[in-house]
Amino acid sequence: MAFDPWKHAENALGIPEIRERLRRIPNRLNEYGYDAWGFHPETAARVLSLAYALYRRYWRVEVHGIERVPHGRVVLAANHSGQLPVDGLLLWVAMAMEADPPRIARGMAERWFPTLPYISILMPRMGHVLGDPTNCERLLENGEAILVFPEGARGCGKTWWHRYELVDFGQGFVRLALKTRSPIVPIAVIGGEEQMPSLYNWETLARLLGMPYFPVTPTFPLLGPLGGLPLPTKYHIYFDEPVEFEGDPDGPDAEIVPMVEVVKSKIKRMIEYGLEQRTSVWW
Amino acid sequence: MSHDEEKSVREVPPGLREGAPSGPPPRRTEPAPADAARPASERATARKKVLLTGAASGMGAVLLRHMADLYDVVGVDEEDLEDVHRSKIVFHQAALGKRQFEDILRRERPDALVHVSFRDDPKTPARVRHQTNVIGTMRLLDASQRTSVAKVVILSSAAVYGALPDNPTFMDETQPLRASQTYSGLRDRVEVDTYAQAWMYKNRDVRTIILRPANVLGPTVHSSFRSYIELPRVPVLAGFDPMMQIIHEDDVARAIIRAVDAPRSGIYNLAGSGSALPLSTVLAELGVSPFPVPYPLALPLSRALWALGLSGFPPPQIDFLRYPQVVSGVRAREDLGFEPEIQPRDCLAAMRRALSSARRGRR
């Protein structure tokens, strides 16, 4: 048999095992291996192998309670931090590689992601979709797992001085859960805030560049783009018991806000617990 | 073949879903001499009489193939008809917007009108195309109402939803029509679709169906997607590979026939479940080697080439190379019982054969 360098590289990176794992996940792929949102397990497996290496070696993620994620449709709601959506990436890896059965956590992308070259291709191939109610509803009806960060981009762009403080939660994820009768799993991510300590959010520049925020860290933009690489903090991810709400998805805010607060307070409690348990930011 | 996952969304306004057939029951009398000129409900033979606009077009030819033995077909087109089925049908050479067309309707009194004519050729001036497409459709619909046609089927396009970064996957028929208003071809489509919708709500006594197929491929039809892949050098945008859908021309014809026979009104997307594919896969299956253009260059370059007449690719169509367009065909399945029969792989293979034979024919 001829030596195929690509095959050899794939085997070395453990990609066949990852593909095998992904094959266990129920999917709606067409004959070309794509689903309608652009998910392509062949490509996702390659990305997953690199991301899993970072997951284990760089950020050394420890998950707590991942077995609490129920089968079938579920809304995963986590706090957002770290300027770059590393928490989203690591949760995606965790659900694919550590959860049993493996799941594809469908991240919700903001509408400017499809305008970015190459990222606009990679995100759908990994399983992430535009954060649109239609998409979320259909995916949940299909029994999939949706990953939401109710704080939105504002949460990710938090400055150092407000680390681990939860900003206002949007209501969309609760209304979505009510409409599709999906349980919500509150998730706390520890380790994101310190990976890229933003000392100041340069709002004017952000607006100019069309970015949601522009972080000024000790190394960025001082040391150029390399100064914007996230640091190898130790990540802990805590999963709480699922919460099931009942109610009118189109109900007035007064009915929805208390439900949002329940999820928010659960995440807050887990963050406090996680910070207490943590002995070091790096190890 | 994956299962269809789309959830049905019932948001069409009430009053458009009556199930009872319209018109008086067929009378059993001896056939009168002017039998052929009466609608089916009054004729002894049960075959429907269907008037088809755009009979000389690609889609017209496909429909003739499917309909010539099913219905009594009356074809109308501005161009003369050269078709193998010519002998089986009645043909009138006429323009849509003129008085002559209404006379044809009065004389023929069809049971149903199928409107597929649409001028898409960028070489024709926009003003002329607008006259045929939009004004022609308006006059056609008014004439149908005046001559009491019972059923109207209009072939629109899923392109009317536009290709935008915030397009959800599985857009249903309530999705707003956001196609670029800057390109006259798309603008005409949106205008025709919008006018037809308003007309449909105003004239409830006419059963009207608007069909919005995804990109139509096949050996006969000349869609704008076909013009794109037949360009001497097919451009794609570097770093973009959006999801898109295709449907075979024969499946569109089958859907039109279902629409003709269905005793209802409504708007229906036509796309097969499992037919969403990335643009790169579609091009690869068609045997097209695209050349990638960096996006910052693409828009100014395409505008320059278009202005100089060197390109067959209108600038606003660039959005279709960037952003996804995936529609849900669930409503058509539920209401019309329509599902595409030709799978994407076979559709692409057929198109690939058609392209290579067209290329051979040109040499």
Side-chain angles (χ1 to χ4, degrees):
Chain A
M1 209 165 72
F3 176 72
D4 180 356
W6 294 118
K7 249 246 132 90
H8 192 77
E10 286 202 342
N11 286 339
L13 290 168
I15 290 177
E17 287 81 31
I18 296 179
R19 282 219 182 99
E20 198 43 55
R21 225 187 137 76
L22 292 183
R23 243 172 253 134
R24 288 170 52 196
I25 306 178
N27 57 59
R28 294 167 186 273
L29 305 175
N30 62 21
E31 46 183 337
Y32 289 96
Y34 291 90
D35 81 358
W37 289 270
F39 176 51
H40 189 221
E42 289 250 331
T43 310
R46 293 193 192 109
V47 181
L48 206 44
S49 74
L50 296 170
Y52 192 42
L54 291 170
Y55 178 97
R56 273 180 314 176
R57 311 247 186 264
Y58 196 74
W59 283 295
R60 298 145 289 132
V61 183
E62 270 182 48
V63 290
H64 309 265
I66 197 169
E67 61 280 354
R68 290 176 170 160
V69 178
H71 293 217
R73 63 184 72 179
V74 61
V75 175
L76 306 170
N79 61 311
H80 211 8
S81 58
Q83 311 306 317
L84 295 174
V86 171
D87 47 11
L89 180 73
L90 296 177
L91 273 164
W92 177 70
V93 176
M95 293 305 296
M97 303 303 293
E98 303 242 48
D100 193 39
R103 307 289 298 269
I104 295 293
R106 304 279 197 156
M108 298 287 118
E110 307 257 339
R111 74 174 64 178
W112 44 271
F113 273 98
T115 65
L116 303 171
Y118 301 103
I119 298 192
S120 69
I121 301 180
L122 204 59
M123 300 253 316
R125 301 287 176 273
M126 291 160 67
H128 303 310
V129 302
L130 177 80
D132 176 279
T134 313
N135 284 343
C136 297
E137 281 167 33
R138 291 194 195 274
L139 288 167
L140 285 168
E141 304 270 336
N142 287 352
E144 303 230 26
I146 304 289
L147 174 60
V148 296
F149 295 102
E151 292 171 282
R154 293 158 293 132
C156 204
K158 235 174 273 164
T159 55
W160 176 255
W161 322 110
H162 297 284
R163 62 194 187 281
Y164 296 113
E165 289 170 20
L166 297 174
V167 304
D168 285 340
F169 272 31
Q171 294 177 16
F173 77 105
V174 169
R175 292 185 187 275
L176 179 67
L178 288 173
K179 187 160 186 188
T180 53
R181 283 180 306 282
S182 311
I184 299 174
V185 171
I187 298 173
V189 179
I190 310 285
E193 297 282 14
E194 292 89 353
Q195 76 187 9
M196 235 178 122
S198 167
L199 302 172
Y200 173 70
N201 175 14
W202 194 344
E203 285 182 22
T204 324
L205 187 58
R207 249 198 309 273
L208 223 69
L209 296 172
M211 292 164 64
Y213 46 81
F214 190 93
V216 177
T217 75
T219 52
F220 180 82
L222 205 62
L223 298 180
L226 283 177
L229 287 177
L231 299 166
T233 52
K234 172 111 178 128
Y235 263 75
H236 290 269
I237 304 180
Y238 293 88
F239 292 76
D240 204 350
E241 290 293 338
V243 185
E244 297 211 37
F245 292 120
E246 264 181 31
D248 177 14
D250 301 311
D253 290 359
E255 282 175 23
I256 305 292
V257 167
M259 300 178 195
V260 176
E261 287 302 313
V262 165
V263 177
K264 189 172 178 183
S265 60
K266 281 176 182 276
I267 296 179
K268 186 158 184 281
R269 258 207 309 273
M270 280 193 293
I271 291 177
E272 282 164 5
Y273 176 77
L275 290 174
E276 220 177 295
Q277 295 290 305
R278 185 170 70 166
T279 47
S280 157
V281 171
W282 310 101
W283 309 112
Chain B
M1 163 79 178
S2 66
H3 300 289
D4 189 25
E5 64 269 47
E6 300 104 320
K7 168 175 144 28
S8 88
V9 178
R10 299 190 172 275
E11 286 179 54
V12 176
L16 289 180
R17 286 168 180 264
E18 303 94 81
S22 62
R27 271 187 280 138
R28 300 216 151 272
T29 58
E30 303 89 48
D35 195 45
R38 298 216 222 110
S41 49
E42 289 172 30
R43 280 184 274 134
T45 56
R47 256 164 63 130
K48 266 197 181 124
K49 183 183 263 196
V50 175
L51 189 141
L52 172 65
T53 72
S57 70
M59 194 67 222
V62 179
L63 281 168
L64 287 179
R65 208 164 54 221
H66 285 254
M67 295 196 329
D69 295 322
L70 265 181
Y71 306 123
D72 290 335
V73 179
V74 177
V76 176
D77 204 306
E78 268 187 64
E79 313 277 314
D80 195 10
L81 180 67
E82 294 163 14
D83 188 281
V84 61
H85 296 99
R86 176 85 194 252
S87 53
K88 292 191 193 173
I89 70 162
V90 174
F91 179 72
H92 300 277
Q93 191 169 357
L96 279 191
K98 305 282 166 65
R99 177 85 218 170
Q100 192 190 3
F101 182 75
E102 186 162 342
D103 291 340
I104 295 172
L105 276 182
R106 270 187 216 288
R107 251 187 300 138
E108 297 285 358
R109 298 196 60 204
D111 300 298
L113 192 153
V114 173
H115 178 43
V116 304
S117 101
F118 189 85
R119 265 184 130 160
D120 217 332
D121 183 9
K123 291 191 219 72
T124 322
R127 199 182 16 88
V128 175
R129 278 183 281 129
H130 186 266
Q131 184 70 21
T132 315
N133 295 335
V134 183
I135 309 295
T137 301
M138 287 181 177
R139 297 230 176 102
L140 174 152
L141 290 175
D142 291 341
S144 315
Q145 198 262 324
R146 277 197 293 273
T147 56
S148 310
V149 177
K151 180 51 155 306
V152 173
V153 177
I154 296 167
L155 188 64
S156 176
S157 164
V160 294
Y161 297 116
L164 286 98
D166 57 351
N167 272 356
T169 302
F170 295 129
M171 295 185 283
D172 70 15
E173 291 80 353
T174 62
Q175 178 83 4
L177 310 185
R178 301 192 297 170
S180 163
Q181 297 293 298
T182 53
Y183 172 50
S184 56
L186 279 177
R187 190 179 56 224
D188 281 0
R189 280 258 186 234
V190 174
E191 270 193 65
V192 166
D193 198 304
T194 313
Y195 185 82
Q197 283 183 62
W199 188 87
M200 178 167 80
Y201 297 147
K202 224 175 31 154
N203 298 282
R204 301 293 178 97
D205 47 333
V206 181
R207 300 299 164 104
T208 312
I209 289 188
I210 301 172
L211 297 175
R212 295 175 181 157
N215 295 290
V216 184
L217 288 185
T220 329
V221 175
H222 282 273
S223 57
S224 53
F225 189 70
R226 180 166 185 165
S227 313
Y228 165 64
I229 52 184
E230 283 188 319
L231 289 173
R233 315 229 4 212
V234 179
V236 288
L237 295 180
F240 294 95
D241 189 13
M243 299 300 285
M244 55 173 287
Q245 285 166 311
I246 52 171
I247 185 170
H248 194 276
E249 60 189 23
D250 285 333
D251 280 324
V252 176
R254 283 187 208 108
I256 290 175
I257 290 171
R258 287 215 181 247
V260 167
D261 291 337
R264 69 190 323 141
S265 297
I267 305 170
Y268 300 101
N269 294 333
L270 302 177
S273 61
S275 71
L277 290 172
L279 176 64
S280 60
T281 305
V282 173
L283 294 178
E285 290 286 295
L286 293 174
V288 169
S289 298
F291 77 99
V293 180
Y295 179 69
L297 285 182
L299 198 56
L301 196 67
S302 124
R303 280 207 184 113
L305 290 175
W306 179 254
L308 293 171
L310 291 173
S311 149
F313 194 71
Q317 303 283 59
I318 282 185
D319 282 345
F320 287 88
L321 302 182
R322 261 186 114 188
Y323 303 129
Q325 252 236 334
V326 178
V327 302
S328 165
V330 166
R331 213 182 271 187
R333 198 187 36 216
E334 291 181 351
D335 289 357
L336 302 177
F338 168 73
E339 180 120 53
E341 286 172 25
I342 298 173
Q343 296 308 312
R345 196 178 282 278
D346 300 323
C347 177
L348 289 170
M351 192 66 205
R352 189 184 183 136
R353 283 193 295 272
L355 286 175
S356 51
S357 64
R359 243 177 273 133
R360 275 198 303 275
R362 274 201 294 273
R363 282 200 212 109

